[in-house]
């Protein structure tokens, strides 16, 4: 069974600090997605990573994908309060019946 | 342009009842996917439809069914509601044949909050 696990589940950090969220998945996939969800809101797409070694950056967030290690990271640089949200990674399985599996989520709180 | 729309916004049902949730994709998008998000958890994939055909299915019982109409809108139906069906139901649309599976982004609607009492 495909599992997508994120680490940590909860993260409280000071403004200005750097930190990394990890996303491990248990089966072969070269399609990895990152989303942001604010409390009571829907999901906002952040990054789509489609190949081994892919790296994408937007503002203070940078995502990377290592398909051989089945690992994606979301790095936060110089965190600001506005980044407080829950972050999800998701993996697509395209062989056979399509499935789309979300990770457990990382709840990030940036303290002023 | 309007984003993905879902109706109703909130819904309260009793155990054993049936519910229909509706989704209209972004104009020009032909793929619709449905997800269930229980409070405090990540979304769980239920179905993906393209051109009125089911293209993907998650691990949900047969009480859950869906369909897509010629205008690409979609309905999710849940029969014999259980307390555990209480969740936020999210719809996402994507422009391409395989939806989000071949790398294209999915655009999520605001969701329908279903409460089963």
């Amino acid at each position: 069974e495909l599992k997508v696990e994120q680490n940590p589940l909860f993260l409280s950090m000071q403004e200005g600090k750097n930190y990394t969220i990890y996303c491990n998945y248990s089966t072969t996939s070269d399609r990895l997605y990152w989303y942001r969800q604010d409390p009571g809101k829907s999901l906002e797409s952040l990054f789509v990573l489609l190949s081994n070694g892919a790296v994408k950056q937007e503002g203070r967030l940078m995502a990377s994908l290592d398909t051989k290690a089945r690992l994606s990271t979301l790095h936060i640089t110089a965190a600001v309060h506005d980044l407080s949200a829950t972050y999800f990674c998701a993996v697509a399985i395209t062989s056979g019946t399509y499935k789309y599996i979300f990770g457990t989520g990382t709840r990030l709180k940036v303290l002023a | 342009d309007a984003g993905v729309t879902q109706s109703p916004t909130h819904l309260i049902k009793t155990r054993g009842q049936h519910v229909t949730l509706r989704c209209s994709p972004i104009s020009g998008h032909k793929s619709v996917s449905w997800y269930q998000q229980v409070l405090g958890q990540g979304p769980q994939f239920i179905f993906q439809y393209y051109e009125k055909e089911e293209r993907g299915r998650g691990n949900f019982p047969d009480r859950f069914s869906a369909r897509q109409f010629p205008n690409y809108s979609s309905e999710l139906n849940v029969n014999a509601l259980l307390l555990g069906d209480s969740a936020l139901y999210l719809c996402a649309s994507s422009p391409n044949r395989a939806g989000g599976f071949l790398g294209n982004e999915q655009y999520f609607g605001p969701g329908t909050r279903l409460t089963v009492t």
Side-chain angles (χ1 to χ4, degrees):
Chain A
E1 181 185 348
L2 171 64
K3 290 186 178 180
V4 182
E5 296 180 334
Q6 290 180 232
N7 180 27
L9 297 181
F10 299 96
L11 177 57
S12 181
M13 57 191 298
Q14 296 289 328
E15 276 193 330
K17 297 293 186 182
N18 304 331
Y19 208 83
T20 299
I21 298 171
Y22 297 89
C23 173
N24 290 91
Y25 53 97
S26 63
T27 194
T28 301
S29 175
D30 56 2
R31 295 164 176 82
L32 195 293
Y33 308 81
W34 283 96
Y35 293 89
R36 167 181 172 147
Q37 187 174 38
D38 291 297
K41 304 291 186 181
S42 189
L43 291 156
E44 174 191 355
S45 177
L46 295 174
F47 300 108
V48 180
L49 304 170
L50 298 178
S51 60
N52 186 42
V55 177
K56 290 196 173 180
Q57 183 165 4
E58 181 72 33
R60 301 176 187 273
L61 300 177
M62 183 174 71
S64 66
L65 177 62
D66 181 344
T67 58
K68 294 180 181 178
R70 298 179 183 174
L71 171 69
S72 180
T73 61
L74 180 66
H75 186 72
I76 303 159
T77 301
V80 293
H81 180 71
D82 286 349
L83 290 179
S84 298
T86 298
Y87 293 85
F88 292 99
C89 63
V91 171
I93 303 301
T94 58
S95 59
T97 302
Y98 295 137
K99 292 184 186 293
Y100 200 87
I101 311 298
F102 276 84
T104 46
T106 296
R107 188 178 299 175
L108 172 65
K109 185 173 183 179
V110 181
L111 305 173
Chain B
D1 287 339
V4 177
T5 59
Q6 293 186 243
S7 64
T9 304
H10 295 89
L11 198 55
I12 300 175
K13 290 286 191 177
T14 303
R15 278 178 297 176
Q17 286 188 318
H18 163 90
V19 68
T20 297
L21 310 180
R22 295 177 175 83
C23 171
S24 293
I26 292 171
S27 177
H29 285 195
K30 299 182 178 181
S31 174
V32 169
S33 298
W34 287 97
Y35 298 84
Q36 179 196 67
Q37 187 176 24
V38 173
L39 191 64
Q41 298 182 17
Q44 300 290 315
F45 172 66
I46 309 175
F47 289 111
Q48 194 245 358
Y49 274 80
Y50 175 81
E51 293 285 15
K52 296 177 291 181
E53 290 188 13
E54 182 182 302
R55 302 286 182 168
R57 173 184 282 258
N59 296 325
F60 279 80
D62 292 342
R63 300 185 295 109
F64 289 77
S65 64
R67 55 180 176 168
Q68 187 177 33
F69 299 99
N71 65 354
Y72 304 114
S73 67
S74 178
E75 284 183 353
L76 175 70
N77 295 284
V78 187
N79 293 324
L81 285 167
L82 303 174
L83 294 178
D85 295 332
S86 296
L88 178 68
Y89 287 84
L90 295 164
C91 171
S93 78
S94 182
N96 293 326
R97 176 178 177 273
F101 299 102
L102 293 184
N104 298 97
E105 291 180 70
Q106 293 190 89
Y107 298 85
F108 282 82
T112 293
R113 175 76 60 187
L114 172 65
T115 301
V116 182
T117 62

